[in-house]
Amino acid sequence: MAAIHLAGLITLFLSGAVFVILGLFSAITTWTGTALEQRMTGLLVAIFGFALIGAGLYVAKRSKN
């Protein structure tokens, strides 16, 4: 059971980090352009990544009862 829990946490953190990096990279590369939709999509993907990392922190910190 502990291995499954650890694997889930690692998955949350790694996928969250990937989404944050890709989202911020997309937003930064389109920042000077006129494509507002691409910039907003990049920022939303980054926010989704931060939410995944936050969910991982919540699951890691909650009591194990």
Side-chain angles (χ1 to χ4, degrees), residues 22-33 39 42-43:
L22 289 176
L24 289 178
F25 179 75
S26 173
I28 289 170
T29 56
T30 60
W31 195 260
T32 57
R39 188 178 324 136
L43 290 175

Side-chain angles (χ1 to χ4, degrees), residues 2-65:
I4 295 172
H5 183 73
L6 182 62
L9 287 176
I10 290 170
T11 303
L12 278 174
F13 286 124
L14 287 180
S15 59
V18 167
F19 280 120
V20 167
I21 291 168
L22 289 176
L24 289 178
F25 179 75
S26 173
I28 289 170
T29 56
T30 60
W31 195 260
T32 57
T34 59
L36 179 63
E37 294 85 14
Q38 289 178 345
R39 188 178 324 136
M40 295 306 289
T41 302
L43 290 175
L44 288 175
V45 168
I47 290 170
F48 177 68
F50 282 120
L52 284 177
I53 293 172
L57 288 174
Y58 172 75
V59 170
K61 293 283 184 178
R62 75 174 181 199
S63 65
K64 305 290 191 271
N65 295 336

